[in-house]
Every structure is written in C-alpha cells, then in structure tokens.
Amino acid sequence: MKKVVILAPLDPVHDIGLKMIGRGLNQAGHETFLLPPDLTPDEIVEMVFSKGKVDILLVSRTLGYGVGEILARFIDLADAAGLRTNTRIGIGGMAIRPELAAELGFDAGFGPGTTVEEVVCFVEGREYHPDPFRSKKDKTDMTANYDYQYHHGAIGEKLGRISEMILDWVKNKTSPGVKRAKLRDELWDVERWRKRQGNGDLYNHYPQLCSEIPQKYYTTGELHPKTRRFTIEEVRGLEKYLEETKARMSVLKLQHTRKKATGL
Ligand code: B12
C-alpha cells in the first residue's frame, strides 16, 4: 500500500542521503516530501502535522555539536506532540547506528551504507533480508601492517628526548588564559550569575588577566568597538518569540493529551 513519507534532514546541510532514499521510495510507489535542511526540531514537527496523515518520518543527521541532545529533544517533542500515534520515525546518516537510534527512542536506525531496499522494507513494514549475493565492500585496514616501533631506533630515541624536554619546559609554566580558566573555576558561581546576583570576587581579579579591550569592558563597562548592547526592542522581540514558542508547544501538548485520552 502506498505510504506517505516525509524526509527531514535534521542537519545544517547534508541531504544527499535522504534525496537518494526519497528517489528509491518514489520508484517503489510511495509519496515523499523532502523538507529543507537546517530546520529546528519544532519546525519539523509542525511541518509534519501540516501535511495531514503521514505514515513515516525519516530523519537524517551527521555528527556535530550537541547531536545527542538535539536528537533526544526531537524525539521528546515528537512524543509530546502526539506525532507518533500515527507516524513511525526512522533516523539515519553518518552519525547513526541502530543501537544509538534504539537508545534514543526512534523506531529504527540506519547507518552509513544503508541500501534503499532496507528503507523500503522499513516503510512497508516488511522484514529486510539482505541479498546474500550482493558484494560487500571490503575496506582495507590501512593500519594493518603498522606498529608503534620506529624503523630507526635512534630517531625514536631522539623524539622521546624532545618530548621529555618539552614536558619539562612547560612543567611550571602558565599563561593568562590558563589563569583566567582557573579563576573562573574557583570564583565563578554560575547559579549566582543566572540569578543576576553578580559575580562575587571574580571581577576583582579577572580583568587584570585580560587584554586591553576586555579589561576596559570589565572595569568601565565600555564595549568592544565592533559590538553593541541589544536594544530594548530586540530584547522584547526575543521575549515575544519565546512566549509564542512556549504557547505553541503547550497547544501541541494539549492536542497530544486529548488524543491520548479520546483515542481520536
Ligand atoms: C557532500 C558532503 C557535504 C556537502 C553537503 C551537500 C548536501 N546537500 O548534502 C557540504 C559541502 C555542504 C558539506 C558541509 C559540511 N560537512 Co559534509 N560531507 C559531505 C560528504 C563528502 C558526503 C556526504 C554524502 O552526501 N554522502 C552520500 C550519501 C548518499 O551518503 P550518506 O549521507 O552517508 O547517506 C547514506 C547513509 O548514511 C544513509 N542515510 C543517511 N541519512 C539517512 C536517513 C535515513 C532516514 C535513512 C534510513 C538512511 C540515511 O543512507 C544513505 C545511503 O546509504 C561527507 C563525507 C563522506 N564521504 O561521507 C561529509 C561529511 C558528512 N561532512 C561532515 C562535516 C563535518 C561537514 C561540515 C560540518 C564541515 C565544516 N566543518 O564546515 C559542513 C557542514 C557545515 C554546517 N553548516 O554545518 C562530516 C560529518 C561527520 C560525521 N561523521 O557525521 C563528514 C562525514 C566528513 C568527515 N569525515 O568529517 N558536506
């Protein structure tokens, strides 16, 4: 039976894998919609709802900062919004392995080298039996014939001595950057800072370790020449955006709770 499939690159750029999978699914007779890359989890969830009845959502992701959190947040959001009542969610891409996808709560996970046939099986709810005659690419182990011995013992010994000398040289050395990091560790209380209760003793010592421009900022409040403070309109705009997003999320949550309670 023909399925409706949404392909969503939850990634800043990479969408070639999904395009390839989309083409295979179309050829197998399914209807696909490819979303653009760089959407937020919220935007993807909203767009899936806006399409009406969607059987499968296929998400793609490569590695990047905070990817675990982004994917966990995505699946939480999909859950909270009630998306998963009718839609199965699969994920794939360079960063994904089936175990990771299962741990994060996706319905299926596909790593690098996934075949279109595998995905067609998932979409159609069939079990995938790999073709035993399909030639598997044998990757050469480039490190196979290497070990950690130097061919020339004398060079190994010299490099060892150089490393020792460098370690000796840096032993009791420090730099303003290291000192700043230590100070922050010792004196910066992030909870106080969040509650706008100041930074305690930190700023009595910190500016002296900074270069001229940040020092000026910490001591007189004068900003870096290429920066400015947010205007009150910008702060209000940001607050408005946050309020609207929260309101949208609570509507989605409400719809989910209703759906759960009534089964509709
Ligand atoms: C093309 C490419 C790009 C293009 C993307 C163009 C596009 N429209 O997609 C461009 C040049 C824009 C790009 C940019 C970047 N890239 Co790039 N890119 C690649 C490259 C060379 C090929 C990816 C590709 O398309 N492969 C072909 C497709 C068919 O394969 P695939 O994506 O793996 O998909 C298969 C499976 O994974 C699976 N699959 C994928 N998604 C899904 C989803 C589902 C639901 C399913 C079922 C299966 C599935 O099925 C596919 C078929 O088997 C890879 C390196 C490589 N050799 O893989 C790096 C790579 C993906 N990029 C990488 C990085 C880090 C970046 C940058 C962050 C680099 C940078 N520092 O600027 C930037 C992104 C910038 C940003 N704003 O964040 C890394 C990602 C790290 C990782 N292991 O996840 C890689 C692996 C390179 C590397 N080795 O470091 N990139």
Side-chain angles (χ1 to χ4, degrees):
M1 206 175 86
K2 181 171 160 178
K3 303 276 183 195
V4 177
V5 185
I6 292 204
L7 307 160
L10 179 51
D11 194 287
V13 290
H14 301 98
D15 63 359
I16 296 175
L18 271 185
K19 281 181 176 158
M20 188 181 131
I21 284 160
R23 209 166 51 179
L25 287 171
N26 289 337
Q27 279 166 1
H30 302 291
E31 191 176 3
T32 62
F33 298 95
L34 176 71
L35 302 185
D38 209 21
L39 294 177
T40 63
D42 312 42
E43 286 167 331
I44 293 177
V45 169
E46 275 187 31
M47 285 176 120
V48 175
F49 273 120
S50 74
K51 287 272 180 240
K53 188 180 171 298
V54 173
D55 301 299
I56 312 281
L57 169 61
L58 294 178
V59 179
S60 183
R61 177 70 214 200
T62 53
L63 270 184
Y65 285 120
V67 72
E69 288 76 12
I70 294 172
L71 297 180
R73 192 162 159 255
F74 178 79
I75 210 74
D76 280 353
L77 197 66
D79 258 334
L83 185 75
R84 307 184 76 185
T85 320
N86 300 313
T87 308
R88 283 190 302 145
I89 309 180
I91 185 160
M94 287 300 282
I96 308 302
R97 298 293 178 275
E99 302 78 13
L100 172 71
E103 199 167 323
L104 288 166
F106 284 84
D107 294 309
F110 304 85
T114 303
T115 61
V116 168
E117 179 55 17
E118 225 171 319
V119 189
V120 172
C121 284
F122 169 66
V123 165
E124 295 177 355
R126 289 189 284 120
E127 212 171 303
Y128 172 62
H129 300 289
D131 178 355
F133 299 110
R134 184 173 173 250
S135 65
K136 243 191 156 200
K137 264 193 219 157
D138 275 330
K139 259 198 171 176
T140 337
D141 177 0
M142 294 197 311
T143 62
N145 298 319
Y146 287 85
D147 56 33
Y148 294 100
Q149 303 291 319
Y150 291 97
H151 279 303
H152 302 285
I155 290 179
E157 192 201 318
K158 279 199 171 81
L159 286 172
R161 273 189 13 232
I162 292 171
S163 307
E164 292 295 327
M165 282 157 75
I166 293 173
L167 288 174
D168 263 354
W169 186 76
V170 297
K171 210 182 244 162
N172 297 313
K173 291 213 164 30
T174 184
S175 72
V178 170
K179 285 185 189 164
R180 284 199 299 268
K182 281 188 177 157
L183 260 186
R184 273 198 303 269
D185 248 11
E186 281 166 29
L187 299 177
W188 195 43
D189 181 345
V190 71
E191 285 312 319
R192 276 178 66 102
W193 178 76
R194 275 200 188 124
K195 290 181 199 151
R196 300 178 192 223
Q197 292 170 344
N199 289 303
D201 206 18
L202 179 69
Y203 285 168
N204 294 335
H205 309 281
Y206 198 81
Q208 295 135 35
L209 299 169
C210 299
S211 58
E212 195 188 339
I213 292 174
Q215 200 173 84
K216 235 189 222 162
Y217 169 72
Y218 288 122
T219 50
T220 68
E222 187 183 324
L223 292 177
H224 183 284
K226 287 190 181 155
T227 61
R228 62 171 177 81
R229 291 183 195 280
F230 280 127
T231 63
I232 194 74
E233 287 75 26
E234 283 168 335
V235 174
R236 284 197 190 122
L238 193 61
E239 277 166 358
K240 186 166 164 269
Y241 171 76
L242 284 174
E243 284 311 313
E244 284 171 2
T245 308
K246 271 190 216 158
R248 250 196 348 250
M249 291 319 298
S250 44
V251 171
L252 287 176
K253 269 190 193 146
L254 202 71
Q255 283 172 349
H256 173 58
T257 321
R258 258 195 224 135
K259 251 188 203 163
K260 256 193 166 168
T262 59
L264 295 172

